[in-house]
Amino acid sequence: LGRATGPGSRLVASYVDARVHTDPAAACGEGYPAHALARVAAFAERANEPWLSSWPPPPPGGRAAMGPFGRLLAAHGRWRAERDESAGEANEAFFAPIGRRIPPSSLCMMERFVVAAKGDSGGGGFGLDGGDTTE
């Protein structure tokens, strides 16, 4: 993907929140049945689509580029994660301002969504802090 895309390209990806395996309640909205996440994983396995990897989210209040998935993108193709959000975070950013907030008891946040931009291929590039490191 790094070689097949040029500067300014955009990437939208999703990944499984690692807390699904260690703290399922943290990957659910308040009141969402955390035990349901185990059923989703089991169904994916039976459908021959096992979850082969998962990633911890960025630290609370941290920049998307500093999270583990953002660092992976930066290391493979000069990508800079601009957003790394759960359904709950997207709910607050996009639905709440227009009065269409999804109730927490309906939010399964096992999947996170990333939007990344490709840096230039010249001498500089994007740093892990999300800022351009060119002088």
Side-chain angles (χ1 to χ4, degrees):
L1 186 61
R3 288 189 300 265
T5 54
S9 295
R10 309 282 287 181
L11 172 71
V12 178
S14 67
Y15 66 91
V16 174
D17 186 326
R19 296 176 299 178
V20 166
H21 307 294
T22 59
D23 183 10
C28 297
E30 185 177 334
Y32 188 92
H35 66 276
L37 298 183
R39 289 197 311 252
V40 172
F43 178 77
E45 183 80 30
R46 283 193 309 275
N48 209 22
E49 293 289 339
W51 292 345
L52 301 177
S53 64
S54 59
W55 299 85
R63 298 174 76 169
M66 294 302 293
F69 198 79
R71 292 193 310 267
L72 172 76
L73 291 173
H76 296 281
R78 305 177 66 78
W79 293 98
R80 177 177 47 89
E82 296 174 338
R83 299 184 82 100
D84 183 334
E85 298 176 327
S86 70
E89 291 161 327
N91 189 32
E92 293 305 312
F94 300 109
F95 295 115
I98 61 170
R100 307 252 342 211
R101 180 180 280 129
I102 299 167
S105 61
S106 296
L107 285 173
C108 175
M109 298 181 293
M110 68 182 188
E111 192 170 17
R112 296 189 62 86
F113 307 94
V114 177
V115 176
K118 178 103 181 248
D120 67 24
S121 58
F126 292 113
L128 293 180
D129 66 353
D132 192 338
T133 60
T134 56
E135 299 293 339

